[in-house]
Amino acid sequence: MSFSTLVSDLTYRDSTHSPRPSAPSHTASTNTARSHLSRAQSSYASTAATSVSISGSISSQLHGGYSHPLARQWQAERQLTKSMLIYPLFITDNPDECTPIPSLPGQKRLGINKLIPLLTPLIAKGLKSVILFGVPLAPTAKDALGTAADDPLGPVIAGLRLLRRAFPQLFLVADVCLCEYTSHGHCGILHDDGSLNNTLSVDRISDVALAYAEAGAHCVAPSDMNDGRIRAIKLKLIESGIAHRVVLMSYSAKFSGCLYGPFRDAAGSVPSFGDRRCYQLPPGGRGLARRAIRRDIEEGADIIMVKPASQYLDIISDAKDIGKDLPVAAYQVSGEYAMIHAAAKAGVFDLKTMAFESTEGILRAGASIVVSYFTPEFLEWLDT
């Protein structure tokens, strides 16, 4: 199936759904809607026809990786500090949403109107960075192309613009994936047989990354695990003239497994069929992880990430060995966080002790950046 055929049938596998209605407080004109759809339709052509040409390897493009003061701090190696932490936020298309996530104790799905009240006290305690995940809740918000991922009125772009104005010093990371926005729940565009179409997925995801960067993200972080998406994103950032000020953080070694359940509940991204084993790495696939890390470094990644964290300390160590001169990030995923909470609730361990031991083990393995749901607690527990 060609990309143009997919575009002409936006309701592929969902043919009975009507077009997505805009939220009452975010009504867009017909022209705006058509313009947004046009962006999705032109995704493949715009990437394939890119005119960018740079001398030497694309990995020679370094400025984006240290353009921001926090990104410069991430180049150093040290013990756990507040500046190493990135706090995940789930932002919905309901501006006033504030709903606890039962499987993620203490975490909530939030509308953009709730972001400033949440973040103001955390920033006062030393919060330096957040990563945004979009959670479209409208019944018809999803389609086969993940069209809503770069909707100018969608939760991520609206959130980026709001936070850049409200907190100029806060470092904003935008997760880049399609799973929250596709009707099938997978991380890209599919072939007719339901398998992942890597080429079309990379074209689409690189457009989404560019849209987030243009909306104010200091860092774009593709988590889809499609082959070649780092190079495609880097080229688009260069072509748009903003590569020198945008950090590209790759989920380079993202393993499949059962530890993402609470996240998928929070983000509404459970696949409607099959699983993600054909594009996420298999548990035990250490050699594949090393190859993926090398590939992403060669394609221009400024930071490489390992996910999950605590179960893959050997991979974090490998990442630091392969990318000796790059910061290594680790994501303490939702399942790790939930298990620590459950153990503390059962009286097996003290929450603070277990959270510290888990995180310090990640740092000893070689990470210098940690994406953690424990960030609010660490802001209380840490002195610096």
Side-chain angles (χ1 to χ4, degrees), residues 27 31 37 88 119 134 184 213 217 284 292 307 315:
T27 302
N31 287 340
L37 180 58
L119 294 177
H184 43 71
K307 176 182 181 181
I315 308 301

Side-chain angles (χ1 to χ4, degrees), residues 147-205:
T147 303
D150 54 355
D151 184 346
L153 303 177
V156 172
I157 290 181
L160 288 168
R161 289 173 175 162
L162 173 68
L163 295 178
R164 280 298 292 258
R165 293 193 303 269
F167 306 113
Q169 302 307 313
L170 185 64
F171 189 86
L172 303 177
V173 184
D175 178 83
V176 183
C177 196
L178 299 184
C179 62
E180 302 103 316
Y181 305 94
T182 52
S183 50
H184 43 71
H186 283 281
C187 300
I189 297 171
L190 304 180
H191 288 292
D192 286 337
D193 64 2
S195 62
L196 194 71
N197 187 322
N198 192 89
T199 300
L200 300 188
S201 299
V202 166
D203 294 336
R204 180 80 186 101
I205 285 162

Side-chain angles (χ1 to χ4, degrees), residues 195-314:
S195 62
L196 194 71
N197 187 322
N198 192 89
T199 300
L200 300 188
S201 299
V202 166
D203 294 336
R204 180 80 186 101
I205 285 162
S206 60
D207 259 5
V208 174
L210 177 60
Y212 291 169
E214 291 176 337
H218 298 101
C219 173
V220 290
S223 59
D224 54 289
M225 289 298 289
N226 284 282
D227 289 332
R229 86 270 202 224
I230 301 304
R231 180 176 176 84
I233 293 170
K234 196 76 165 189
L235 286 172
K236 284 208 167 181
L237 294 174
I238 295 170
E239 186 174 52
S240 297
I242 59 175
H244 65 288
R245 57 180 173 85
V246 179
V247 178
L248 179 48
M249 177 164 62
S250 175
Y251 290 67
S252 295
K254 180 178 179 181
F255 289 85
S256 63
C258 62
L259 290 174
Y260 305 129
F263 175 92
R264 292 172 184 171
D265 290 343
S269 60
V270 178
S272 61
F273 66 92
D275 53 47
R276 296 171 180 161
R277 295 178 188 176
C278 290
Y279 46 98
Q280 293 180 356
L281 301 179
R286 188 173 185 176
L288 275 172
R290 293 175 65 91
R291 289 165 62 192
I293 291 165
R294 291 190 187 97
R295 174 200 64 192
D296 289 357
I297 292 172
E298 291 170 0
E299 291 186 4
D302 299 304
I303 299 171
I304 48 180
M305 184 193 291
V306 176
K307 176 182 181 181
S310 300
Q311 284 71 24
Y312 290 95
L313 299 181
D314 57 338

Side-chain angles (χ1 to χ4, degrees), residues 86-87 89 119 127-132 163 170-173:
I86 303 176
Y87 185 36
L89 298 176
L119 294 177
L127 177 67
K128 303 296 184 184
S129 180
V130 294
I131 181 168
L132 308 186
L163 295 178
L170 185 64
F171 189 86
L172 303 177
V173 184

Side-chain angles (χ1 to χ4, degrees), residues 72-139:
R72 289 194 286 275
Q73 290 184 42
W74 284 347
Q75 303 298 322
E77 299 176 20
R78 57 191 178 282
Q79 296 301 307
L80 180 61
T81 65
K82 294 178 181 181
S83 62
M84 305 173 77
L85 300 166
I86 303 176
Y87 185 36
L89 298 176
F90 298 97
I91 308 178
T92 78
D93 51 8
N94 176 359
D96 295 310
E97 181 90 11
C98 186
T99 304
I101 303 166
S103 55
L104 274 175
Q107 310 304 311
K108 297 177 180 179
R109 284 194 291 261
L110 302 164
I112 61 169
N113 291 344
K114 303 297 183 179
L115 292 178
I116 293 176
L118 171 75
L119 294 177
T120 297
L122 296 180
I123 290 172
K125 295 174 183 177
L127 177 67
K128 303 296 184 184
S129 180
V130 294
I131 181 168
L132 308 186
F133 296 91
V135 185
L137 298 177

